[in-house]
């Protein structure tokens, strides 16, 4: 049985996945103990000066699970988990699985807007935070949200910020530990945790991932990566990112008896030092980080020779950048195309060099079904042509959480997920990502739904209309370009004012526009929708100043297609 609000796979499909041995009835909560039995004294986690063996990790998970139960956490409860790359993230996630609760993975960069939405949508009863992190008081946010959201009963704080005696709202995480309890097993076909969608809609959606589907994903990818007890994985990107958590990432590496090294952030200094010190064999980054590492690798004296594979994914990787990886970093490149919703494609060790540089590889499972269709008719396109990528399979969701209306659009009647990505397939079945249909900016590896930023921009006094488009950028891949129509005030709010207003509304920093431009009106398509193609082309026009960070853009009219009068 799946949690209410989730869409299960059809019974016959689920039975097929079980018969084929893809879904094996794994309860993610049982894994740390099983790993400890297999690899007990080996090092599971390294973070700063802390090193945890598999046995220690399993003990901590058992004690924390009992601690959460004592704090009132019950099977089925949703708990928003917002911690950086620290051992506590891993402990808490698995402890919540053990207790039958469902963590909702939030980014540490999320602020009031995002966290409130996650808590509200999931009906969270708990919120796990670092306390004060990178200058932001997460504990204070938790306290405020608890006054608005009656379901939110506990804020668990890692560093003790905001904890007062006798308070049962804000609880120090270190207190969440108790003698282990015998806890019931989870139904493997139920939701284990929620990932956040990159989003095409104004409000982000929650992706239910089941025990069985995630266990299958991590096992499959770990096998493809040839992981064994000698593997040392560096978690350079945030752990809550599906790429880092399970492709094979943290969960895949631990499943094989390897060691996970948690980096505080993906900067090259920290990561290169950790690669040398821990003899890291595998790590995963977005193209923006890969570019920085390549620059730094020319100057570093760190020994990177242990690194065998660098996975790059999350955003388009330019072939020129791809071609530099092996000669300059001395390791193999593995391209990864993936999504929190499920489908993963990856290059394989025996792929020819051209395919490694120019394709995103093949689906990781033989049971992944991929269709490329004409976006307007839904009919399959001729072989080799680009179209919208649709997919279904043993680890791809069948529906977002509590989103029936959105689900009706996001899935075909026969259960294929419409990814919103434009792609083609080579004759050998390798995927080539050609572009996007969805209204999303991919800045670095961060996904920003244009609609979400637009909704906040039009709430700022002086802004009548807003259209957000991606603009190509050498370092970040894309940046956020906002075309605005003012309300006739002179001068209209400039970039710094807009940014401050959006921050004031509690929007995460990575969603703030990089540049704004005021126009007299927004170009429309013949159907009367805002013509984002025209706006993207205008934003990308090199004749426009590339002077990022200046407040007021030129007021040159957008070279528009004929604007229909309506
Ligand atoms: C990963 O997951 P999300 O959910 O943050 O973003 C998914 C979207 C995809 O639909 C696609 O638009 C884009 O990110 N994307 C890529 C890409 N990998 C992801 N676009 C071009 N080339 C690629 N290689 O980003 C994600 C999840 C698991 C593993 C890797 C990435």
């Amino acid at each position: 049985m799946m949690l209410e609000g989730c869409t299960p796979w059809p019974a016959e499909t689920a039975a097929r996945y079980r018969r084929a041995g893809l879904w094996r009835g794994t309860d993610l909560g049982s894994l740390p103990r099983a790993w400890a039995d297999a690899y007990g004294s080996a090092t599971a986690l390294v973070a700063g000066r802390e090193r945890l063996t598999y046995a220690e990790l399993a003990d901590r998970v058992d004690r924390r699970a009992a601690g959460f139960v004592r704090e009132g956490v019950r099977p089925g409860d949703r708990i928003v988990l917002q911690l950086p790359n620290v051992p506590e993230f891993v402990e808490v996630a698995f402890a919540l699985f053990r207790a039958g609760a469902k963590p909702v993975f939030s980014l540490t960069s999320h602020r009031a807007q995002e966290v409130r939405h996650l808590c509200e949508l999931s009906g969270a009863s708990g919120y796990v935070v670092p306390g004060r992190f990178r200058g932001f008081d997460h504990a204070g946010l938790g306290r405020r949200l608890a006054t608005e959201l009656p379901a939110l009963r506990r804020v668990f704080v890692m560093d003790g910020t905001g904890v007062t005696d006798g308070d049962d709202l804000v609880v120090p995480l270190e207190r969440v530990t108790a003698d282990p309890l015998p806890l019931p097993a989870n139904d493997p076909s139920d939701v284990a945790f929620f990932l956040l969608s990159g989003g095409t809609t104004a409000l982000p959606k929650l992706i239910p991932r089941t025990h069985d589907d995630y266990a299958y994903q991590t096992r499959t990818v770990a096998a493809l990566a040839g992981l064994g007890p000698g593997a040392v994985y560096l978690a350079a990107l945030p752990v809550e990112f599906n790429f880092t958590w399970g492709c094979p990432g943290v969960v895949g590496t631990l499943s094989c008896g390897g060691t996970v090294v948690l980096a505080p952030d993906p900067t090259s200094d920290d990561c290169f030092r950790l690669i040398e010190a821990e003899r890291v064999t595998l790590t995963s980054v977005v193209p923006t980080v890969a570019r920085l590492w390549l620059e730094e690798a020319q100057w570093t004296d760190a020994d990177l020779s242990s690194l065998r594979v660098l996975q790059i994914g999350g955003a388009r990787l330019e072939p020129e950048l791809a071609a530099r990886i092996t000669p300059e970093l001395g390791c193999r490149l593995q391209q990864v195309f993936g999504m929190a919703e499920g489908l993963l494609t990856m290059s394989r060790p025996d792929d020819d060099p051209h395919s490694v540089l120019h394709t995103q590889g093949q689906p990781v499972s033989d049971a992944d079904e991929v269709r490329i269709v004409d976006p307007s008719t839904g009919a399959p396109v001729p072989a080799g042509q680009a179209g919208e990528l649709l997919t279904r399979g043993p680890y791809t969701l069948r529906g977002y959480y509590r989103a029936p209306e959105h689900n009706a659009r996001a899935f075909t009647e026969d259960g294929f997920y419409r990814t919103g990505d434009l792609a083609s397939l080579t004759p050998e079945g390798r995927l080539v990502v050609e572009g996007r249909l969805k209204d999303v900016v991919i800045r670095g590896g961060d996904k920003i739904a244009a609609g979400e930023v637009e909704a906040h921009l039009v709430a700022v006094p002086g802004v009548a209309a807003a259209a957000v488009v991606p603009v190509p950028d050498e370092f970040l891949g894309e940046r956020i370009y906002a075309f605005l129509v003012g309300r006739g005030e002179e001068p209209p709010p400039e970039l710094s004012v807009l940014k401050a207003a959006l921050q004031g509304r509690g929007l995460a920093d990575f969603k703030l526009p990089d540049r704004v431009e005021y126009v007299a009106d927004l170009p429309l398509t013949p159907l009367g929708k805002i013509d984002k193609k025209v706006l993207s082309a205008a934003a990308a026009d090199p004749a426009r100043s590339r002077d990022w960070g200046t407040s007021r853009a030129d007021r040159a009219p957008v070279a528009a297609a004929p604007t229909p009068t309506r």
Side-chain angles (χ1 to χ4, degrees):
M1 269 297 285
M2 246 177 139
L3 189 71
E4 91 11 83
C6 298
T7 314
W9 280 262
E12 61 281 15
T13 310
R16 179 155 50 84
Y17 292 153
R18 288 196 190 96
R19 271 200 311 276
L22 312 183
W23 291 356
R24 297 186 183 165
T26 308
D27 167 2
L28 295 183
S30 71
L31 290 179
R33 187 50 63 196
W35 298 333
D37 290 344
Y39 315 113
S41 59
T43 305
L45 280 181
V46 177
R49 260 177 252 117
E50 206 172 352
R51 308 181 80 85
L52 282 185
T53 66
Y54 276 88
E56 286 164 338
L57 176 63
D59 288 347
R60 289 203 190 179
V61 167
D62 286 345
R63 294 191 60 83
R64 279 206 194 279
F68 278 121
V69 172
R70 197 191 53 204
E71 292 296 330
V73 171
R74 294 287 168 263
D77 280 5
R78 274 80 61 201
I79 308 284
V80 173
L81 174 55
Q82 188 184 37
L83 289 179
N85 288 9
V86 290
E88 284 84 348
F89 185 102
V90 183
E91 291 167 29
V92 167
F94 280 99
L96 291 171
F97 300 157
R98 277 284 276 133
K102 327 283 182 198
V104 178
F105 287 10
S106 164
L107 313 181
T108 50
S109 48
H110 282 160
R111 295 292 177 259
Q113 281 291 340
E114 291 87 9
V115 178
R116 179 188 297 111
H117 173 65
L118 292 181
C119 287
E120 234 171 354
L121 179 58
S122 68
S125 62
Y127 176 34
V128 184
V129 296
R132 185 170 274 285
F133 182 68
R134 299 203 168 128
F136 185 75
D137 180 5
H138 294 263
L141 172 60
R143 204 178 270 287
R144 267 192 290 137
L145 289 178
T147 61
E148 296 171 33
L149 305 169
L152 188 60
R153 287 183 283 108
R154 288 276 193 288
V155 179
F156 301 99
V157 188
M158 211 177 88
D159 69 359
T161 304
V163 173
T164 50
D165 276 349
D167 181 3
D168 60 2
L169 173 64
V170 180
V171 177
L173 194 57
E174 60 181 18
R175 211 174 78 193
V176 183
T177 175
D179 288 339
L181 292 170
L183 293 167
N186 292 294
D187 175 349
S189 53
D190 197 2
V191 185
F193 62 105
F194 291 93
L195 290 172
L196 201 61
S197 89
T200 48
T201 44
L203 294 171
K205 300 278 177 286
L206 290 177
I207 299 162
R209 300 298 306 252
T210 68
H211 293 271
D212 258 339
D213 97 60
Y214 214 72
Y216 173 62
Q217 171 184 308
T218 50
R219 196 174 66 235
T220 305
V221 180
L224 278 181
L227 292 195
V232 182
Y233 175 73
L234 179 72
L237 298 172
V239 273
E240 68 278 7
F241 186 21
N242 185 29
F243 195 9
T244 324
W245 183 241
C247 300
V250 175
V251 180
T253 304
L254 294 177
S255 302
C256 299
T259 299
V260 171
V261 180
L262 299 171
D265 63 60
T267 53
S268 48
D269 282 4
D270 279 336
C271 288
F272 286 2
R273 202 175 34 74
L274 287 169
I275 291 171
E276 173 176 282
E278 302 296 337
R279 308 297 295 156
V280 168
T281 60
L282 169 71
T283 186
S284 38
V285 296
V286 293
T288 302
V289 171
R291 184 181 290 279
L292 293 171
W293 283 18
L294 282 170
E295 297 316 313
E296 206 48 46
Q298 303 175 18
W299 310 107
T300 187
D301 52 12
D303 174 7
L304 307 179
S305 62
S306 58
L307 194 61
R308 284 195 288 110
V309 180
L310 179 64
Q311 297 182 303
I312 305 184
R316 183 184 154 73
L317 177 64
E318 298 298 332
E320 302 72 50
L321 193 66
R324 293 174 55 192
I325 300 299
T326 300
E328 296 181 34
L329 294 175
C331 59
R332 188 165 72 75
L333 161 67
Q334 180 174 52
Q335 291 219 32
V336 181
F337 166 83
M339 56 196 71
E341 283 81 356
L343 179 70
L344 298 169
T345 73
M346 291 186 179
S347 23
R348 304 293 202 273
D350 51 1
D351 279 353
D352 63 283
H354 184 270
S355 300
V356 173
L357 299 186
H358 295 273
T359 81
Q360 282 64 57
Q362 282 164 285
V364 299
S365 166
D366 291 339
D368 283 321
E369 298 173 73
V370 163
R371 268 189 205 157
I372 309 284
V373 305
D374 181 321
S376 43
T377 65
V381 298
Q385 282 190 19
E388 185 177 12
L389 172 67
L390 309 189
T391 186
R392 67 181 181 189
Y395 59 99
T396 296
L397 87 174
R398 291 298 183 122
Y400 292 98
Y401 185 51
R402 293 179 169 167
E405 280 169 34
H406 182 67
N407 288 339
R409 291 191 300 275
F411 294 84
T412 63
E413 267 173 27
D414 53 354
F416 276 79
Y417 167 59
R418 299 183 210 271
T419 65
D421 289 305
L422 273 178
S424 61
L425 287 173
T426 68
E428 301 79 34
R430 296 195 181 92
L431 191 83
V432 179
V433 182
E434 310 267 5
R436 277 196 310 278
L437 292 162
K438 54 191 172 190
D439 211 2
V440 167
V441 182
I442 304 188
R443 186 184 190 278
D446 291 324
K447 315 297 179 322
I448 297 113
E452 183 179 9
V453 184
E454 289 161 0
H456 287 287
L457 283 168
V458 295
V460 178
V463 179
V468 164
V469 293
V471 57
D473 180 77
E474 191 189 344
F475 296 104
L476 291 171
E478 295 174 3
R479 286 189 194 247
I480 306 171
Y481 202 113
F483 287 94
L484 304 176
V485 178
R487 286 198 184 277
E489 283 126 35
E490 235 3 276
E494 52 178 65
L495 183 62
S496 58
V497 175
L498 291 162
K499 282 187 176 181
L502 299 193
Q503 282 175 317
R505 295 175 59 79
L507 196 68
D509 282 353
F510 70 88
K511 299 177 184 172
L512 302 178
D514 292 291
R515 184 170 167 87
V516 297
E517 175 169 343
Y518 283 92
V519 290
D521 49 16
L522 297 168
L524 300 180
T525 66
L527 291 174
K529 286 169 95 184
I530 293 173
D531 195 334
K532 293 219 165 169
K533 275 203 186 122
V534 167
L535 291 175
S536 297
D541 180 354
R544 286 184 136 74
S545 150
R546 282 287 80 89
D547 189 9
W548 298 109
T550 52
S551 49
R552 283 278 296 289
D554 44 86
R555 301 278 218 90
V558 178
T563 308
T565 42
R566 275 197 146 235

